Amino acid sequence: MSAGWFRRRFLPGEPLPAPRPPGPRASPVPYRRPRFLRGSSSSPSPGAADASRRPDSRPVRSPARGRTLPWNAGYAEIINAEKSEFNEDQAACGKLCIRRCEFGAEEEWLTLCPEEFLTGHYWALFDGHGGPAAAILAANTLHSCLRRQLEAVVEGLVASQPPMHLNGRCICPSDPQFVEEKGIRAEDLVIGALESAFQECDEVIGRELEASGQVGGCTALVAVSLQGKLYVANAGDSRAILVRRDEIRPLSFEFTPETERQRIQQLAFVYPELLAGEFTRLEFPRRLKGDDLGQKVLFRDHHMSGWSYKRVEKSDLKYPLIHGQGRQARLLGTLAVSRGLGDHQLRVLDTNIQLKPFLLSVPQVTVLDVGQLELQEDDVVVMATDGLWDVLSNEQVAWLVRSFLPGNQEDPHRFLKLAQMLIHSTQGKEDSPTEEGQVSYDDVSVFVIPLHSQGQESSGH
Amino acid sequence: MSAGWFRRRFLPGEPLPAPRPPGPRASPVPYRRPRFLRGSSSSPSPGAADASRRPDSRPVRSPARGRTLPWNAGYAEIINAEKSEFNEDQAACGKLCIRRCEFGAEEEWLTLCPEEFLTGHYWALFDGHGGPAAAILAANTLHSCLRRQLEAVVEGLVASQPPMHLNGRCICPSDPQFVEEKGIRAEDLVIGALESAFQECDEVIGRELEASGQVGGCTALVAVSLQGKLYVANAGDSRAILVRRDEIRPLSFEFTPETERQRIQQLAFVYPELLAGEFTRLEFPRRLKGDDLGQKVLFRDHHMSGWSYKRVEKSDLKYPLIHGQGRQARLLGTLAVSRGLGDHQLRVLDTNIQLKPFLLSVPQVTVLDVGQLELQEDDVVVMATDGLWDVLSNEQVAWLVRSFLPGNQEDPHRFLKLAQMLIHSTQGKEDSPTEEGQVSYDDVSVFVIPLHSQGQESSGH
């Protein structure tokens, strides 16, 4: 992506690329649930008297008992309380088989060797908005993008230190020293591959949705185990945490208009054209109105983490670029997340103002060195879409994990049951740890990934 | 500052403001040492046989014994080993007297009441480059900018919660609730005032240096005590740490081309004009050369925290926007810091490429709630310019603090002596805790600020 591309794509007054000739429209992306749910039956929430869509009686879905997910992970999901026709959450998981590229002496050539060379595992959650299509495409596509990106750098992954040149030639004798001084390790290549895979997948979604005449976007939260490490890549407001006997460790960080305020305001400062004179870039405690004109009110601009006062001018009365607090915060009055995949066509209602330039598809990646952890039997990673975290805190989730797992170590389905229990706890059950049995009316999807005695599985090659 | 201003100031092709008519040139900023060193005598390093400028015999300067700094803080400094004619470090400290602004019922009016209303304290270090002028101006000016910025919001500082409107009028009955929901506290106004004061001071320095025909810039590290809290604001590569019996807590974060790589690359991505075709925005482990053309080499762009490989094109052979590692890292081959004050005229040697658009004058502010600390007698904040931290780690500084203070609790000059001892430890003395008695050839300045029994002094009004 170049600045020229950015300007042509998003700024008025730049010459536009020639429109693509209208070809035959591709068929729309068909709705489906995750592949690993095939053959599963929905179980109604315990105590539900009927199958109607009251929040406490929506069915919880999990994989069929005979189907084992990687590392015996548990999964469960529930659809929202009629917020949308379809469950806009999607999930994917599986083995990640990285093949080796081999290079000749003079010229690069690729051997698509049929045996895998490195094996990893992959779990992903996608929370869609504006329709289910983007999340379905992401669930179908992102793992392939990641495999391709990892295969492109696999020689660097298995070296003791990534070589300066991918073909291993050493042009400058000090090259290993330069790489050493920059502190570049194999895990930086995995992080780079995850960053590139998210961007590649975003481009695929943009093309596919345009071709099929569909719209929408989704968040993406991905956990990848490779060579003894667990990588958690996040773009959006899903969350992953590590729960151990004495520790709760966040493995992701939510990207919302509030958490990314300064980045978003900065872009509007640099390219005010993106707001088309309809929005103010400044943040105020509330939307200003005529009575505020001429008064000194609290405000923040892109370079400020503190607050100051400014005298209100007419342009400050415009709708704020970021408005609302907490769960209600919206970017351009439209979107509750600031990173994710898709949304290439999304515009502010009744305007030509695009959301996409303010969105990033690049994830933030956290690395958990599983080999260094001295794992206990009940150490798990819990990944879930925002529907769970809206009503359960990290501490409440950890309390549920610690209450359930130690007494059920012989049950092969314990992680599945724990995932189901977490979903039930979002439905206002009496035994829920939430205050006053809070209810999530959103789609909720959960993976529970056990770490014990799994680390070595992914490290061999 | 608006985007329009940024574009006019830094981008080619935009209409330039009419040049100011050449007026009488102001006299240059006179060189001086900090005011509180008046009457002090330089003490040669212990064991120094002569007054020559060998690194181990440069004199260490401290305030005269009769002169007490705020909170009985200790201070010491040493000039570099002939890197520059003048000591480019500067320091300032003092009482910060915030007066109250009073408002009439209908119209705002200001009473410059002679009594102070809020009292704080202020310690600051400035590390100059390209001449001593910017650091001297900052030492003369920044505290006044800060006092002015704090006085402008003092009504909000003393309220239980900053009001939406500075004059206290409540236009919308829910205003306190909006402020509450945003979590805006009095300390956010102090952070905002520090951010504004740094920017105001930067503008003053730009004007004064232009008027006197001088050049240069400086880093700024400021500690401010106010209402029982200690605020540490940092722009540059100086550092402050809290040292307690069982804790070492960093109170600042260094801003260098390496730590701010993504922000700097992002600006070059958005405005490639700023590089004038002379630099590449991409990061490589080393500068590329002709032999690398066509090879796949390790690289990073603005959106990446991991590394990937790219095929080398001709434009990749340009000099990198950020080049070198660690202490050698330079922005545009020129500057070792990425935040600070001044440098308005700084250009890459023999080009018209400006450094200023890549520099930020805004500090990052850390808040230490001194009232919550259960302070011990030997708890101190150590602030020093990079000359100290180049050769002493946080742990080594803490070791020196903990070795010296407990045995000297009756000595009223113990913090002064500790500051001198820290300076001596950068000069390769045998009793130094550094490996092989490392020597700093840079200017070094140190404040040691004791926290015990001082917190309440600044909280009354």
Side-chain angles (χ1 to χ4, degrees):
Chain A
M1 190 172 70
S2 73
W5 172 87
F6 183 92
R7 292 180 190 184
R8 280 192 301 279
R9 169 81 174 77
F10 294 124
L11 297 188
E14 300 277 341
L16 284 169
R20 299 194 335 172
R25 175 160 282 197
S27 50
V29 181
Y31 178 70
R32 66 165 182 82
R33 296 313 307 147
R35 294 180 201 284
F36 56 73
L37 287 182
R38 278 180 201 159
S40 73
S41 59
S42 303
S43 65
S45 287
D50 60 75
S52 79
R53 282 277 185 82
R54 282 194 299 113
D56 59 352
S57 65
R58 289 174 279 147
V60 176
R61 292 193 68 181
S62 280
R65 283 287 162 104
R67 184 182 291 269
T68 310
L69 304 189
W71 290 11
N72 194 28
Y75 174 85
E77 63 169 48
I78 193 166
I79 192 174
N80 65 79
E82 295 185 327
K83 190 183 76 165
S84 60
E85 182 185 0
F86 297 113
N87 185 340
E88 292 182 344
D89 281 3
Q90 289 290 341
C93 64
K95 212 168 167 178
L96 203 60
C97 301
I98 320 293
R99 295 162 303 185
R100 183 171 203 159
C101 311
E102 290 185 0
F103 300 99
E106 276 309 298
E107 211 168 301
E108 290 180 18
W109 54 279
L110 187 69
T111 310
L112 285 179
C113 114
E115 305 100 311
E116 67 209 35
F117 178 64
L118 263 182
T119 306
H121 288 94
Y122 170 93
W123 301 262
L125 293 175
F126 307 96
D127 182 348
H129 52 256
I136 294 168
L137 285 169
N140 291 349
T141 311
L142 183 56
H143 56 282
S144 308
C145 300
L146 180 60
R147 185 173 53 74
R148 199 157 39 239
Q149 294 289 346
L150 286 169
E151 285 178 355
V153 300
V154 74
E155 297 293 326
L157 288 183
V158 297
S160 60
Q161 172 186 287
M164 169 86 184
H165 295 83
L166 191 55
N167 62 3
R169 267 190 233 170
C170 199
I171 286 175
C172 166
S174 310
D175 277 350
Q177 194 188 326
F178 285 114
V179 173
E180 174 82 29
E181 282 174 5
K182 286 271 182 192
I184 307 170
R185 295 153 305 171
E187 71 177 61
D188 295 305
L189 296 185
V190 181
I191 295 170
L194 278 159
E195 292 171 333
S196 303
F198 271 60
Q199 289 190 283
E200 185 188 335
C201 183
D202 183 53
E203 287 159 23
V204 170
I205 290 172
R207 282 197 304 272
E208 299 268 324
L209 290 185
E210 191 189 354
S212 64
Q214 288 174 287
V215 296
C218 67
T219 70
L221 173 64
V222 169
V224 173
S225 78
L226 199 66
Q227 295 177 296
K229 291 185 177 163
L230 190 77
Y231 299 81
V232 176
N234 183 46
D237 61 355
S238 296
R239 186 188 299 171
I241 63 173
L242 168 68
V243 180
R244 311 183 70 196
R245 194 173 298 170
D246 329 299
E247 186 189 8
I248 304 171
R249 193 188 306 182
L251 298 177
S252 67
F253 173 83
E254 281 98 79
F255 294 101
T256 68
E258 276 188 317
T259 65
E260 294 211 275
R261 172 185 62 83
Q262 287 188 271
R263 175 182 71 74
I264 292 165
Q265 286 183 315
Q266 167 73 14
L267 186 64
F269 164 73
V270 169
Y271 288 129
E273 306 89 320
L274 296 173
L275 302 183
E278 300 277 342
F279 289 84
T280 170
R281 152 187 109 228
L282 302 181
E283 182 186 17
F284 303 99
R286 61 163 165 78
R287 185 169 180 188
L288 301 183
K289 41 194 184 179
D291 290 351
D292 296 306
L293 263 176
Q295 304 288 318
K296 278 191 174 170
V297 305
L298 284 165
F299 88 106
R300 277 203 291 197
D301 200 355
H302 65 96
H303 56 277
M304 300 166 67
S305 73
W307 287 80
S308 191
Y309 286 92
K310 76 161 297 211
R311 198 173 292 282
V312 178
E313 300 160 45
K314 216 173 155 198
S315 63
D316 299 324
L317 305 187
K318 291 175 182 172
Y319 199 86
L321 171 58
I322 298 166
H323 190 54
Q325 266 92 252
R327 302 298 310 163
Q328 268 63 52
R330 290 290 179 279
L331 172 61
L332 291 163
T334 305
L335 207 54
V337 289
S338 57
R339 297 204 189 188
L341 310 173
D343 288 320
H344 294 72
Q345 307 298 327
L346 185 59
R347 283 169 159 77
V348 177
L349 195 67
D350 292 333
T351 76
N352 213 19
I353 299 170
Q354 299 180 73
L355 272 290
K356 192 64 174 172
F358 294 98
L359 304 177
L360 281 188
S361 59
V362 64
Q364 190 189 54
V365 184
T366 308
V367 186
L368 186 68
D369 195 339
V370 179
Q372 298 296 319
L373 275 185
E374 296 193 29
L375 288 169
Q376 308 265 337
E377 172 69 30
D378 299 328
D379 294 346
V380 294
V381 168
V382 177
M383 285 170 66
T385 51
D386 66 325
L388 182 107
W389 307 107
D390 283 351
V391 295
L392 292 178
S393 67
N394 293 1
E395 289 68 27
Q396 288 169 326
V397 167
W399 182 84
L400 282 163
V401 169
R402 292 167 184 159
S403 310
F404 179 75
L405 287 183
N408 291 276
Q409 293 196 347
E410 301 308 310
D411 184 346
H413 303 297
R414 62 196 181 282
F415 303 111
L416 173 77
K417 287 178 182 167
L418 177 55
Q420 291 171 331
M421 187 185 286
L422 285 166
I423 297 276
H424 288 311
S425 298
T426 66
Q427 303 300 305
K429 293 290 164 297
E430 275 173 20
D431 57 349
S432 155
T434 64
E435 284 169 37
E436 301 152 16
Q438 280 190 71
V439 179
S440 179
Y441 294 93
D442 200 357
D443 304 317
V444 190
S445 309
V446 183
F447 275 117
V448 176
I449 307 172
L451 298 181
H452 190 241
S453 69
Q454 309 293 355
Q456 68 278 23
E457 185 184 319
S458 64
S459 62
H461 64 265
Chain B
M1 194 171 69
S2 73
W5 172 87
F6 182 92
R7 291 180 190 185
R8 278 192 302 278
R9 169 83 173 75
F10 295 123
L11 297 188
E14 299 276 342
L16 284 170
R20 297 194 338 171
R25 174 161 281 195
S27 50
V29 180
Y31 178 70
R32 65 165 183 81
R33 294 315 307 146
R35 293 181 202 285
F36 57 72
L37 288 184
R38 278 180 201 160
S40 73
S41 60
S42 302
S43 66
S45 287
D50 61 74
S52 79
R53 281 279 186 82
R54 282 193 300 114
D56 59 352
S57 65
R58 287 175 279 147
V60 176
R61 293 192 69 180
S62 279
R65 281 287 162 105
R67 185 182 291 268
T68 308
L69 304 189
W71 291 11
N72 193 29
Y75 174 84
E77 63 169 47
I78 194 167
I79 191 174
N80 65 79
E82 297 186 325
K83 191 183 75 169
S84 60
E85 183 185 358
F86 298 114
N87 185 340
E88 292 182 344
D89 281 3
Q90 289 290 341
C93 65
K95 211 168 166 179
L96 202 61
C97 300
I98 320 292
R99 294 163 304 185
R100 184 170 202 157
C101 311
E102 290 187 1
F103 300 99
E106 276 310 298
E107 208 168 301
E108 289 180 19
W109 54 279
L110 186 68
T111 308
L112 285 180
C113 112
E115 304 102 312
E116 65 207 38
F117 177 62
L118 263 183
T119 306
H121 288 94
Y122 171 92
W123 301 263
L125 293 175
F126 307 97
D127 183 348
H129 53 256
I136 295 169
L137 285 170
N140 291 347
T141 311
L142 182 56
H143 56 281
S144 308
C145 300
L146 179 60
R147 185 173 51 74
R148 198 156 41 239
Q149 294 289 345
L150 287 169
E151 285 179 355
V153 301
V154 73
E155 296 293 326
L157 288 184
V158 297
S160 59
Q161 172 186 288
M164 169 85 184
H165 296 83
L166 192 55
N167 62 4
R169 269 188 230 169
C170 201
I171 287 173
C172 165
S174 311
D175 277 349
Q177 194 187 326
F178 285 114
V179 174
E180 174 83 28
E181 282 174 6
K182 285 271 181 192
I184 307 171
R185 295 153 303 169
E187 71 176 60
D188 295 305
L189 296 186
V190 181
I191 295 170
L194 278 159
E195 292 171 333
S196 302
F198 272 59
Q199 289 189 285
E200 185 188 335
C201 183
D202 183 53
E203 288 160 23
V204 170
I205 290 173
R207 280 198 305 270
E208 299 269 323
L209 289 185
E210 192 189 354
S212 63
Q214 290 174 287
V215 296
C218 68
T219 69
L221 173 65
V222 169
V224 173
S225 77
L226 198 68
Q227 296 177 297
K229 291 185 178 164
L230 189 78
Y231 298 83
V232 176
N234 184 46
D237 62 354
S238 296
R239 185 188 298 171
I241 63 171
L242 168 68
V243 180
R244 310 185 68 197
R245 195 171 297 171
D246 330 298
E247 187 189 7
I248 304 171
R249 194 189 305 182
L251 298 178
S252 68
F253 173 83
E254 281 98 80
F255 294 102
T256 69
E258 276 188 315
T259 65
E260 294 211 275
R261 173 186 61 84
Q262 287 189 270
R263 176 181 71 73
I264 292 165
Q265 286 183 317
Q266 167 73 14
L267 186 64
F269 164 73
V270 169
Y271 288 129
E273 305 90 319
L274 295 173
L275 303 184
E278 300 277 343
F279 289 84
T280 169
R281 148 185 113 230
L282 302 181
E283 181 186 19
F284 303 99
R286 61 163 165 78
R287 185 168 180 191
L288 302 184
K289 41 193 184 180
D291 290 352
D292 296 306
L293 265 176
Q295 304 289 316
K296 279 191 175 168
V297 306
L298 283 166
F299 88 106
R300 277 204 290 198
D301 200 356
H302 65 96
H303 57 275
M304 300 165 69
S305 72
W307 287 80
S308 192
Y309 288 91
K310 75 161 298 211
R311 198 173 292 281
V312 178
E313 301 159 46
K314 217 174 154 196
S315 63
D316 299 325
L317 305 187
K318 292 176 182 170
Y319 199 86
L321 171 58
I322 298 167
H323 191 52
Q325 268 91 252
R327 303 297 311 163
Q328 268 63 53
R330 291 290 179 279
L331 173 62
L332 291 162
T334 306
L335 206 55
V337 288
S338 57
R339 298 205 189 187
L341 311 174
D343 288 320
H344 294 72
Q345 306 298 328
L346 186 60
R347 284 170 158 76
V348 176
L349 194 67
D350 292 332
T351 76
N352 213 18
I353 299 171
Q354 299 180 72
L355 273 289
K356 192 65 174 173
F358 294 99
L359 303 178
L360 282 187
S361 59
V362 63
Q364 190 188 53
V365 184
T366 309
V367 186
L368 185 67
D369 195 340
V370 179
Q372 299 295 318
L373 275 186
E374 297 193 27
L375 288 169
Q376 309 265 336
E377 171 69 29
D378 299 327
D379 294 347
V380 294
V381 168
V382 177
M383 285 170 66
T385 51
D386 67 327
L388 183 106
W389 307 107
D390 282 352
V391 295
L392 292 178
S393 67
N394 293 1
E395 290 68 28
Q396 288 169 325
V397 167
W399 182 86
L400 281 163
V401 169
R402 291 168 184 158
S403 308
F404 178 76
L405 286 183
N408 291 276
Q409 293 196 346
E410 302 308 311
D411 184 347
H413 303 298
R414 62 197 181 281
F415 303 111
L416 173 76
K417 287 178 181 168
L418 177 55
Q420 291 172 332
M421 186 185 285
L422 286 165
I423 297 277
H424 288 312
S425 298
T426 65
Q427 302 301 305
K429 294 289 164 296
E430 275 171 20
D431 57 348
S432 153
T434 64
E435 284 169 37
E436 302 152 16
Q438 281 192 72
V439 178
S440 178
Y441 295 92
D442 199 358
D443 304 317
V444 191
S445 309
V446 183
F447 274 117
V448 176
I449 306 172
L451 297 181
H452 189 242
S453 69
Q454 310 293 355
Q456 68 276 22
E457 185 184 319
S458 64
S459 63
H461 66 266

